[in-house]
Amino acid sequence: MFRKYRAGVILSLVLCSILRADARKDAPVLPDTREGILIGELLETISSGQPDRWEAFIRDHFTAEFMGIAPMESHISVFGSLYDQSRGFEIYDYTVKDNQTYIITTQDHLTGLWGKYIVTFTSGSPPGIAGLRIQLAEPPDAYRDTTTLSLQEIAQELERLVNKLHQADVFSGTVLLAKGTDPVLQQPMGFSSRRFSAPNRLDTRFNLGSMNKMFTAVAIAQLEERGQLAYEDSIGQYLDSTWIAPAIGRQVTLAHLLSHTSGLGSYFTPEFMESSRTKFRDVSDYKSLVSNDSLRFKPGTDWHYSNTGFLLLGAIIESITGESYFEYVRREVYQPAGMGNTDAYPLDEPVPNLAIGYEKQWSRRGVRWQNNIFKHVIKGGPAGGGFSTALDLLNFSRALRENILISAEARNTLTSPKPELNSPDYGFGFDIYADGRGFGHTGGFTGISTALEIYPEEDLTFIVLANYSRAGFPIRRKFHQLMNRYEGER
């Protein structure tokens, strides 16, 4: 649910790479400088898999400012995830920028994916590590495979990767790839409950994280088509001062909320984090967390992912319809789409087939697994946190493509970029993929890593639902690379 975390540390944890003993013989040698030697030590230390060595390296070589951004346990956990999710890598090349920033291109051993380590040093003597991050990278031209693939070949490649990740215990969940309504790959793996060794199944309900935003957007589009609202309406027309300050209500429109260009933030505030989750079940229970929110920028002039924005859309649905958000989406979205295993199920009720989310945590004491029950919302809502299955999401894809829920025109409005609102890669409640060829949404939180991607021209639907943190990212990345080689059925 927390988009703000996706592009930083989480991305670093997924697509990084660790040094392999059998690195390719023609790999470039790191420069014979103090910085080059330190980079080699960094990679070798991470690859050791030893938390005590990680802690010693961090204390000896991270600057005080960099080390101070998080507790030591968090730094160790990052190193642990780097080690766990890469299992070795090969260095392809490196560049030096401004004599202080080294960029090392690597290929991940576990997944074969490419990334760039970006290590920033201080200018002092000896130099200290002032920054460490990872960027996605496409394969270099020499390693780029341009042969076309059939859909069955793509499914086979994905299946091999999912099996490899599962065997390394870094993936638990379900992956589905379908042509039309016919799955060509549907692969549940791992456990929905590690405590009881209950296996994930096709009917296992996974926490969606932020994917619920699609359902909220569809509900708003339905009301727009019925003439009950307009995207240009100010939110103050529907929400009083107990929800939002009147000055903000006059400036912000529904279009701003839907496109994350309102300037509002997130209701996951310190008050929420320090409160009992049982206090927050209905949409109105969140009023105290959002009523004093302020604008980060003038609406429509910038982009900032906002859970508060979609919570307010849920409140607007309630204001217009006179019924609860949950009743409306259940009747108007889930039921007509054939999504019988989808809802915002309360975690303190005995709902069958709910997957529990898990995070592998590394510390000085070794590895332990922690579930997310006390970290997440007790009941999802308009911004995220509901549950669904892979087959239900395939039905949702079909309902969108066949105009069962909304018209083709309304769907195109939701799933097209909004550059006029400074939202070039996000429509109204939907991410935009592959230069406009696809649309969908992702979800991420502790123990949640999910995605739905729909490609109407190819009649394809791709779904990954994982109950391990970050576990879906490498599978999505691999799918995108394979899709670049897909030219339809031969």
Side-chain angles (χ1 to χ4, degrees), residues 198-236:
N200 283 320
R201 310 180 319 209
L202 282 176
D203 64 347
T204 296
R205 296 159 166 160
F206 291 88
N207 197 308
L208 299 176
S210 282
M211 288 173 63
N212 284 85
K213 291 181 173 67
M214 296 183 293
F215 310 145
T216 301
V218 167
I220 291 290
Q222 290 174 338
L223 297 174
E224 192 275 339
E225 287 200 290
R226 296 168 191 164
Q228 294 179 265
L229 58 78
Y231 295 127
E232 296 75 23
D233 289 346
S234 65
I235 64 175

Side-chain angles (χ1 to χ4, degrees), residues 126-186:
I129 295 177
L132 173 63
R133 60 192 177 94
I134 300 296
Q135 287 183 349
L136 300 174
E138 292 298 321
D141 290 341
Y143 295 89
R144 193 185 303 272
D145 192 342
T146 58
T147 58
T148 58
L149 295 173
S150 68
L151 190 60
Q152 191 60 46
E153 289 169 332
I154 290 177
Q156 291 169 354
E157 287 284 331
L158 287 174
E159 184 176 13
R160 279 192 286 269
L161 176 61
V162 171
N163 283 327
K164 184 182 292 188
L165 293 171
H166 172 62
Q167 290 167 7
D169 203 16
V170 292
F171 178 78
S172 173
T174 295
V175 177
L176 186 147
L177 177 64
K179 177 75 170 178
T181 58
D182 299 322
V184 294
L185 172 66
Q186 44 185 349

Side-chain angles (χ1 to χ4, degrees), residues 108-127:
D108 185 85
H109 184 211
L110 184 61
T111 66
L113 297 171
W114 293 77
K116 291 181 183 294
Y117 265 91
I118 303 175
V119 186
T120 304
F121 294 94
T122 60
S123 57
S125 181

